[in-house]
Every structure is written in C-alpha cells, then in structure tokens.
Amino acid sequence: MNDPQFDAEVRYLTLNEAINTALANSEVVRVLGGVTASTSGRTIYDAAITNTTIDQQRATFDPSLTLNNTWNQTETPSSIFNPIGSTNSIITGNQNEGYGLDFGLSKRNFLGGTTNLGVNRNSNRITPGVIPLNPADRTATELSYTQPLLQGAGRTANQAPIVLARIDTERSYFQYKSAVQQSVAGVIEAYWSLVFAKTDLWARTQQVQQATFANNRTLARIETGDANAGDLAQTQLALENFRASLLASQASVLQRQAALLNILGLPPYEAQRTIPVTPMVQEPFVIDWAKINELAQQERPDIIELKLILEADQQRFLLADNQARPQLNGVALYRWNGLEGNTPAGNRIRSGAGDFDDWSLGVNFSVPLGLRAERASLRQRRLITQRDRANLNQGLHNMQHQLALSLRNLEQFYAQYERFQAVRQAARTNLEQQLAQYNEGIVQFIVVLQAIVDWGNSVSSEAQSLSQYNTELARLELQTGTILQEHNVVFFEERFRSIGPLGRYGNDKCYPRSQPPSASVARYEGGDQPSEEYFDLEDPVAANKSDEQLDASQEDEIDMDTEVDFEKIDANQDGEMSDEEIDQLLQKKSALRTFSDYLKTKLRR
C-alpha cells in the first residue's frame, strides 16, 4: 500500500495530549465504534437546555398582572314627537361617553391557594340629559382568596412539577457525563489500538523483507543449479502470503489512525503523521471486589440516572394521588364599592369609604362520579414505579456482571501477555536454532520460514494482549464511573444573564448556557520514541551479542562448517578436492553467510 501518510512528517502524541484534545473539541461528544467514531447524541448544551424547564415550572407561582383601559362613546339615534306639532316627529339622540379601568393582580402560593386583587372603575357622561349624576364614576375594589382543600392542596403536590424539572436536569447532566466518560475511554482504546497496529505492521514488514531475500536467494541458487522450481514456488508462496499480511497491517494502521483523529475531532488527513509515544502499563493490578462494587453504585452515571427515574416516579405518584381526590375549594371575597359624580346644580358628591361593602364566603365541591380516569392514572403510576424499581435492580445486577467481566478480562489479558512473552522468547530461540541448522544443511528453508512466521505472530500477539490489557484498565474505570476523576476531568458551567427574567441588567441571577469539560490530564508518562519501540523490537538472533562477538562467532561457525563440508563433499574419498568442488562450496557458504547476516540485520530493526 502506497499511502502519502506513511511518508509525512511525524508528530509525537502522548495519551495525555490525546485526551485533552478530544475534550477541547467535544462540543458534540463523540464515542468510538470499531474503527470509526460517531456522535453520542449528547452536546455541552443539553443540561442547560433542560435546566430552563425549572423556571418554566416555577413561573406558575409568579404574580400575574392585568391592566385594561377602555375609552368608548355610544350615540344611538331615536325618534320622538315634535313638541310643537304632535303630528310631526323629530330624530334626536343622547351621547354616552365612557371610560373603563380594569386592574387585576393574582398570585398562587405553594399551598395551591390563589389570591386576587382587583380594581374596577367606570365613568359615564351623557349629553344631553338631566340625570342625578353626570358624569358618574363608579369604583369597586375587591380582594378574594380561593384555597383548594383536597385536589390541588399541599406544598408537596404543588412543588412536584418543579422537582420533576430539577430531576430531568440532573438526568440530562448525568447522561452527558456518561457520554464524556465513554469518549475518554474511546480515546484510550483508539490510542492503544494504533500502537498495536503499528507494532503488527513492524512485524509483518520484517517478514516480507526476510521472505524477499529468501526468494532472491532461491533465484540465485536456481541459476547455479543448487535449487529447483519446487524451492522457488515455496519461497514465492511465502512471500505473497507475507505481502498480503503486510497489506492488511498497513490498512489497519491507517484505519486506527483515522479512528483516533476522528474521536479527537481532527480532520482525517493532516500534514503530519500521528505517532503515539506513551508506553503501555506492564504491571498487574490487585483490585478489591467489595470496594469497587460499592464505588460503582455511587459513581456510575447510568445507575444514578436509574435512581433519579425512581425518584421522579415518586413525585408523579404524588401528583396522580392528588388528582384522584374530589375538588373541594373554600372561597372568600370582600368588595368596596364607591360612587361619585356631578349633580345638576354643579356640585360634586361622593360616597363615604366603607359605606357600601360586599362580601361572600363559600365552599365549592365537584367530583366525577367513580373517579374512573383518576384512579386508573393512580394505578398506572404505581405500576410504573414498580417497573422502574425492577429496572434499577436489573441495572445493579448488570453493573456487577460488567465489573466481574472487566476483572476477568484484566486477568486474562495480563496472563496472555505473560504467556505471549514466553512464546516470543521461545519463537526467538526456535528461529535461532532453525537458522543454525539450515546453515548446516540439516533442515530445509521451509522450516526457517515457519520459524519466521511464528516469531512475527508472537510479537503481534504480545502487543495485542498488552494493548487489550491497557484498554481494559480504562474500561474498568468506565464501569466504576470514575474514569473522569482518575484523569482529572471536571465540568464547569459557563454562565450569562441575558435570558434571566430581569434581563442583562438584573441582579446576580445567572443561568447556565453550556457545560464543557475542563481537563488537565497528566496521568500518563510521556516518551521520546514511538510506543511500539517499548516492545523491545530488536534482532531475535543476536540481541545479546556485541557486533565484534557476532562477527567472531559467525567466522568460527563458518570455519567449522567448512571443515565438515570439505569432508562431506570429497567425492573420491582420497582426502583431496578438486578446484571446481572448492569453488562450489565457497560460493554456497558465501550465500549462506550473506542470508544469515541479512536476516540478523533486519530482525534487529
């Protein structure tokens, strides 16, 4: 695969920087899904949007003001007999000019009662006309109070909608927090998956290089008559298989890198190639089951949300129980009436304060016979509460099994990592032995190729198991709900006042707009080399030998093999060899030594 990203300049990226970058670009929270990232459906605005419903419910208890002013004039024509001649009629009419003021102020309290204060004023002037008062002004000031005694009564029932709005806000917050936790865990998984993919790519590249040299060497041996078409077919098959595996590894690196860039909120193609440099954790962890189980019950957002749902069910049950009661209201009203105006003589008179008063007291009762709908709603809320309590128990049950699975995975992946370390060491020893025996002519090259395959697979399996172990550590923190705390990720509310009831110039009544996460992650160690280099990617044949020791040992081995082969190749058994036999042997040994040197050099990289 020829992709320009493999030739781009490198950019070293630590896991701390990766998490901080993802959080900085999390206006819409992304989660990892396979080799891509997608939106979780949560944004930093969700909790703030839901928070507005609290004020919407509290508005029910805000005072309500009504003020109506009306000016009117009526002038209706009518006919009357002409006073001068009784047989004639004339058309005349009176003009009535009026002004009306209607003022009302009402306030509902938490007990369900409603207080009303009303002021009414009507002024009339009739022209022409002789009446006792013209103009005449009538006023009425009334104060009333209505108090529910059964349905709609009580602080608990009336405050339930506000409590429900607050619970919904908390649920929205914990849903958002859960999405951020999954996002952080996804960043860690994408990071370690890229490290594994790069390690696997290194191993497959070594296999291709080794198989390429073996194929070229076989072609050279065919020219000298030392190999046949069957040997060439064998090396070519191995080479094509290695190339296919290399192609898949290169594609995996590109996919894992794209997934990491996606969840970080970065474009898929950048001028620099991302290189992870944080080393993986290689130590086992001992975990207390009882403590981690208790911690998860307290910290996991999904468990907290299930508890909030059950709390909301209790509030809705209180509302349904209140609505199932008959309507019984006590009412009281007191009104002060007044009248003033101008007499035909021109003087103005008015009634005295408190001369004309109205009052009333009453009890109003109404109830649907049977209360069928209300009782059905109450029964429904009781069943919903039982269902959600069962869901909470199931959530706790599922949480425990997820924790147990995560702990088992941790033990399994670490045990596999230790075993694959042993497999890698055994594969390394096997490759050394098979290569030495091949150089002595004891085994065929197919055995060496199989040893190369086993060694490359052992390197890949070791890296995969350690990658899974480190990813599972993050998943365990996700299962306990503490992954944000462990990475020093907190939330803050960016506030402003423009949507408050009193606007921008009101008092210090702030309202949340968004809850972006703020992080200063410094948990993981940095590095100055690619993360895969921490897997001890070196020559499996001569990792513990210096160059001088390696050259000396090669010379000694070749000299010993040469003496043996001189004895083997002496065709006439007279202790002497012809010049052609010596040249043939030297050519063969030169090729063997060249392949051995090449193999050791490539495996050291």
Side-chain angles (χ1 to χ4, degrees):
M1 180 177 293
N2 185 16
D3 194 281
Q5 294 185 69
F6 286 107
D7 300 326
E9 296 183 1
V10 300
R11 178 191 65 176
Y12 287 164
L13 179 69
T14 66
L15 185 51
N16 296 329
E17 294 171 345
I19 297 175
N20 288 330
T21 301
L23 294 176
N25 298 329
S26 63
E27 188 175 18
V28 175
V29 183
R30 291 170 293 275
V31 295
L32 186 67
V35 293
T36 186
S38 60
T39 176
S40 64
R42 302 295 171 187
T43 70
I44 62 176
Y45 305 101
D46 294 344
I49 292 173
T50 311
N51 185 67
T52 60
T53 59
I54 298 177
D55 279 344
Q56 294 174 14
Q57 296 299 332
R58 290 179 61 90
T60 305
F61 302 96
D62 290 342
S64 178
L65 176 65
T66 302
L67 180 61
N68 298 319
N69 289 277
T70 305
W71 289 267
N72 59 73
Q73 174 182 309
T74 60
E75 191 172 2
T76 304
S78 61
S79 60
I80 62 174
F81 290 104
N82 191 336
I84 299 177
S86 60
T87 58
N88 294 322
S89 299
I90 60 174
I91 296 177
T92 184
N94 294 329
Q95 184 183 73
N96 188 344
E97 297 178 332
Y99 166 75
L101 171 66
D102 185 8
F103 171 84
L105 181 64
S106 62
K107 175 71 169 66
R108 181 184 176 189
N109 57 39
F110 288 121
L111 295 176
T114 302
T115 303
N116 290 284
L117 174 63
V119 177
N120 300 97
R121 179 183 178 186
N122 294 301
S123 177
N124 292 304
R125 179 186 293 274
I126 301 176
T127 305
V130 179
I131 55 178
L133 293 177
N134 193 18
D137 298 329
R138 295 182 180 274
T139 60
T141 302
E142 67 178 33
L143 180 65
S144 64
Y145 181 75
T146 302
Q147 175 60 54
L149 301 178
L150 292 177
Q151 185 181 128
R155 296 178 63 91
T156 303
N158 286 281
Q159 288 183 318
I162 301 176
V163 176
L164 288 173
R166 290 174 178 170
I167 292 175
D168 288 341
T169 300
E170 293 184 20
R171 286 184 58 194
S172 178
Y173 166 75
F174 283 107
Q175 289 170 354
Y176 168 61
K177 182 178 180 180
S178 177
V180 174
Q181 288 186 341
Q182 295 177 20
S183 179
V184 172
V187 171
I188 297 173
E189 180 179 355
Y191 191 91
W192 296 134
S193 296
L194 178 58
V195 173
F196 159 68
K198 289 173 65 62
T199 307
D200 183 71
L201 176 61
W202 177 88
R204 305 310 172 191
T205 302
Q206 300 304 312
Q207 290 177 333
V208 169
Q209 292 175 349
Q210 296 154 15
T212 300
F213 179 83
N215 187 68
N216 294 336
R217 178 181 177 276
T218 303
L219 290 173
R221 292 178 60 197
I222 289 179
E223 295 178 357
T224 62
D226 199 28
N228 53 40
D231 296 331
L232 179 60
Q234 194 175 74
T235 57
Q236 286 180 341
L237 175 61
L239 176 59
E240 294 305 325
N241 283 330
F242 287 147
R243 284 175 176 172
S245 299
L246 176 62
L247 182 63
S249 296
Q250 289 177 330
S252 178
V253 169
L254 295 180
Q255 289 177 341
R256 294 300 178 180
Q257 179 172 287
L260 179 60
L261 295 177
N262 192 346
I263 199 170
L264 295 184
L266 300 177
Y269 294 99
E270 292 189 311
Q272 294 178 322
R273 181 162 50 98
T274 303
I275 301 295
V277 294
T278 299
M280 292 187 181
V281 177
Q282 300 181 359
E283 296 80 17
F285 285 86
V286 179
I287 299 173
D288 189 327
W289 166 255
K291 291 183 178 179
I292 202 173
N293 186 23
E294 181 180 357
L295 183 64
Q297 295 183 33
Q298 298 174 357
E299 299 293 339
R300 276 186 57 144
D302 58 333
I303 298 300
I304 296 177
E305 184 182 357
L306 290 174
K307 294 178 181 178
L308 290 173
I309 291 175
L310 191 60
E311 184 178 351
D313 289 340
Q314 296 172 352
Q315 294 296 322
R316 292 189 176 93
F317 179 81
L318 292 175
L319 282 175
D321 181 65
N322 186 269
Q323 293 297 317
R325 300 175 182 178
Q327 186 76 44
L328 180 64
N329 298 336
V331 296
L333 179 143
Y334 198 89
R335 181 185 298 115
W336 295 267
N337 300 314
L339 178 64
E340 62 177 306
N342 295 334
T343 65
N347 60 320
R348 188 172 184 82
I349 61 176
R350 71 181 60 188
S351 61
D355 291 345
F356 304 94
D357 301 332
D358 299 336
W359 64 269
S360 66
L361 293 173
V363 177
N364 301 326
F365 177 81
S366 65
V367 59
L369 297 180
L371 291 172
R372 185 187 301 272
E374 291 77 7
R375 294 184 183 277
S377 177
L378 183 62
R379 187 168 62 253
Q380 181 188 54
R381 297 315 313 178
R382 184 179 289 110
L383 293 173
I384 291 176
T385 301
Q386 294 177 350
R387 180 199 65 186
D388 291 339
R389 183 175 288 109
N391 287 334
L392 175 58
N393 293 332
Q394 173 59 29
L396 293 172
H397 174 79
N398 185 55
M399 175 209 69
Q400 291 178 339
H401 279 271
Q402 288 178 342
L403 282 176
L405 176 61
S406 185
L407 293 178
R408 289 195 300 268
N409 287 340
L410 277 178
E411 295 179 358
Q412 173 188 341
F413 294 148
Y414 192 80
Q416 288 178 341
Y417 167 65
E418 291 181 323
R419 295 284 68 78
F420 283 126
Q421 279 185 314
V423 171
R424 178 179 177 181
Q425 182 61 37
R428 174 176 174 173
T429 302
N430 179 58
L431 179 57
E432 293 174 352
Q433 294 297 325
Q434 299 304 330
L435 182 60
Q437 293 185 25
Y438 174 74
N439 289 337
E440 295 177 1
I442 300 177
V443 298
Q444 297 181 352
F445 187 72
I446 186 61
V447 181
V448 179
L449 286 179
Q450 184 60 47
I452 295 173
V453 171
D454 293 338
W455 171 81
N457 291 341
S458 66
V459 174
S460 178
S461 298
E462 179 189 359
Q464 184 179 29
S465 59
L466 189 59
S467 172
Q468 291 174 329
Y469 176 71
N470 280 261
T471 300
E472 196 62 36
L473 286 175
R475 288 178 181 171
L476 179 62
E477 294 175 344
L478 176 65
Q479 297 297 339
T480 57
T482 59
I483 188 171
L484 298 184
Q485 295 92 313
E486 293 295 332
H487 290 80
N488 195 32
V489 179
V490 296
F491 296 96
F492 66 91
E493 293 182 359
E494 185 181 17
R495 297 173 176 270
F496 73 127
R497 289 181 255 176
S498 61
I499 63 171
L502 302 181
R504 189 180 301 278
Y505 303 102
N507 57 9
D508 295 332
K509 198 70 173 179
C510 298
Y511 293 81
R513 183 178 70 183
S514 60
Q515 287 190 326
S518 174
S520 180
V521 179
R523 170 176 173 175
Y524 300 96
E525 297 180 5
D528 54 1
Q529 61 180 351
S531 298
E532 63 269 20
E533 296 294 336
Y534 294 98
F535 284 104
D536 190 24
L537 304 182
E538 61 180 6
D539 185 351
V541 177
N544 298 322
K545 296 181 180 180
S546 65
D547 293 339
E548 296 180 358
Q549 292 174 336
L550 182 59
D551 293 339
S553 62
Q554 291 173 350
E555 293 290 342
D556 294 341
E557 291 173 359
I558 291 176
D559 292 340
M560 292 176 62
D561 292 340
T562 301
E563 295 175 359
V564 174
D565 287 338
F566 267 110
E567 296 176 358
K568 291 180 181 178
I569 210 167
D570 188 5
N572 54 13
Q573 303 294 327
D574 58 0
E576 297 181 0
M577 295 183 64
S578 65
D579 293 339
E580 291 78 13
E581 292 174 338
I582 294 175
D583 292 339
Q584 179 182 356
L585 179 61
L586 291 177
Q587 182 181 4
K588 180 178 179 181
K589 286 304 175 182
S590 177
L592 289 174
R593 181 176 180 183
T594 302
F595 173 71
S596 177
D597 294 343
Y598 181 86
L599 181 60
K600 293 176 180 178
T601 302
K602 290 300 181 182
L603 292 180
R604 188 182 297 122
R605 295 181 182 177

